[in-house]
Amino acid sequence: MLKQTRGLHHVTSMAVDASENNAFFTGVLGLRRVKKTVNFDSLEVYHLYYGDETGTPGSVMTYFPFGRIPRGRRGTGEVGVTEFAVANGALPYWKDRLSSKGVTGLSDGSFLGEPRLDFSGPDGDSFALVETDMRDRTPWTGSDVPEEAGILGFHSARLRLRSATQTAELLNFMGYSKDETDGAVTRYRIEGGNAANTIDLEELPDAGAASQGAGSVHHIAFAVEDRAAQLEVRKALMDTGYQVTPVIDRDYFWAIYFRTPGGVLFEIATNEPGFDRDEDTAHLGQALKLPARYEPHRAKIERFLPPLSA
Ligand code: ZN
């Protein structure tokens, strides 16, 4: 069993409209945009990162707003719900806030004893806010969300799977232990991780396969401390039979990717170097940042990118 995994690092999803996406995450959810860059494989598409003040691993939701792409179809083999943590007692505030801002799909309930509020994103994304007893996270305080209600990074990601067996084995291998079960959903938790230390597996044997599009999660990334730990994880996964990409430089972390047996794309991302490697913490996310190799094309890239509202 691996010892290097530290919980979630980031979740990356797809959207249609960059400006709408930016307004939703900063203006409605009150996250900080911690990086404005481009999709390194598709320079006319932004890669927008939202999180806490510094983009702490485990707090970072990222988006590729592709422009006109079809909406995803929900099903198995994908992350079904991306869940954010809030402090105990914060949900009534959020219910009022989200409904007053026209957010759809609001539905409150509880799971494994934790109150939650499910809601939809601008592209039909499935999100939830979950009340937790979390004391080791602080929210971004630069928005109009009161500090006591602010989002405290991820709570978990709920994977929808036709069969959960092999993905459960993989999570065990990565250091997660089986926690509680409620109906078709089983919770897995990692000790010694960051605050985003939970993954839920929902088994839906009769559901059809998802097709990815706007509002779908593209991949979820798990955190490791540094490049040495990442190489250890890569070797262990390959020794177990996984096809893992070479290490890829994503400027703010190093990444490896592999497709899991249930169909979800996993990434292992390093906590180093972080989002302050090319701009200081006070100004994170404001200027368009490009990898050094694309700097000569900045003027052309900027012409293709739509303006963001803030
Ligand atoms: Zn990623």
Side-chain angles (χ1 to χ4, degrees):
M1 191 178 85
L2 295 170
K3 303 273 187 217
Q4 296 88 345
T5 319
R6 294 287 176 270
L8 284 172
H9 185 285
H10 64 269
V11 176
T12 294
S13 293
M14 297 179 282
V16 169
D17 187 85
S19 194
E20 180 182 50
N21 182 259
N22 182 68
F24 185 78
F25 282 93
T26 61
V28 177
L29 296 188
L31 298 181
R32 184 184 199 189
R33 192 177 69 226
V34 292
K35 195 60 63 182
K36 179 167 71 168
T37 183
V38 290
N39 181 328
F40 292 1
D41 306 313
S42 186
L43 300 178
E44 73 287 0
V45 174
Y46 277 118
H47 194 180
L48 301 175
Y49 291 77
Y50 311 100
D52 64 9
E53 182 181 20
T54 58
T56 306
S59 80
V60 183
M61 182 83 221
T62 100
Y63 267 86
F64 298 128
F66 278 109
R68 278 180 287 173
I69 55 166
R71 192 168 271 204
R73 190 185 64 234
R74 286 291 132 84
T76 56
E78 68 171 353
V79 175
V81 191
T82 303
E83 305 187 0
F84 298 97
V86 292
N88 284 322
L91 285 185
Y93 167 82
W94 280 103
K95 199 173 176 186
D96 285 351
R97 180 181 177 89
L98 296 183
S99 58
S100 75
K101 290 183 180 289
V103 173
T104 59
L106 292 177
S107 158
D108 46 16
S110 83
F111 179 70
L112 298 179
E114 294 172 326
R116 58 187 279 138
L117 176 65
D118 284 78
F119 61 100
S120 301
D123 294 285
D125 329 55
S126 296
F127 295 122
L129 294 166
V130 182
E131 285 190 356
T132 58
D133 195 15
M134 192 187 289
R135 298 172 204 284
D136 49 358
R137 278 268 155 108
T138 50
W140 168 235
T141 53
S143 80
D144 65 344
V145 175
E147 185 169 356
E148 63 272 17
I151 288 177
L152 302 169
F154 293 117
H155 177 274
S156 59
R158 181 179 292 196
L159 279 51
R160 291 209 185 99
L161 304 165
R162 210 172 168 83
S163 161
T165 311
Q166 287 175 296
T167 305
E169 284 171 10
L170 170 63
L171 287 177
N172 284 147
F173 182 66
M174 290 170 66
Y176 284 78
S177 307
K178 189 173 170 183
D179 198 53
E180 293 176 272
T181 295
D182 183 351
V185 183
T186 302
R187 173 155 291 177
Y188 291 80
R189 195 185 289 276
I190 194 161
E191 294 300 328
N194 60 31
N197 60 356
T198 303
I199 298 288
D200 291 338
L201 301 185
E202 181 173 17
E203 192 163 51
L204 297 163
D206 301 321
S211 88
Q212 289 213 320
S216 303
V217 173
H218 184 267
H219 64 266
I220 55 172
F222 295 84
V224 292
E225 210 54 60
D226 54 29
R227 296 187 69 191
Q230 185 179 52
L231 289 176
E232 292 164 9
V233 171
R234 183 171 186 272
K235 180 176 188 310
L237 288 168
M238 290 180 67
D239 288 349
T240 315
Y242 286 97
Q243 303 280 326
V244 187
T245 67
V247 177
I248 300 169
D249 181 0
R250 294 302 187 199
D251 269 15
Y252 310 104
F253 47 86
W254 298 82
I256 56 175
Y257 304 86
F258 63 105
R259 185 71 63 180
T260 63
V264 181
L265 184 62
F266 276 15
E267 174 184 340
I268 308 289
T270 57
N271 287 346
E272 60 176 6
F275 294 99
D276 61 356
R277 79 173 279 273
D278 60 358
E279 54 189 344
D280 61 71
T281 301
H283 298 98
L284 284 182
Q286 293 176 13
L288 178 69
K289 291 293 172 186
L290 297 174
R293 64 188 180 281
Y294 298 138
E295 272 300 342
H297 311 294
R298 172 175 284 272
K300 193 173 170 190
I301 291 167
E302 284 180 341
R303 271 203 304 278
F304 277 105
L305 292 170
L308 299 180
S309 50

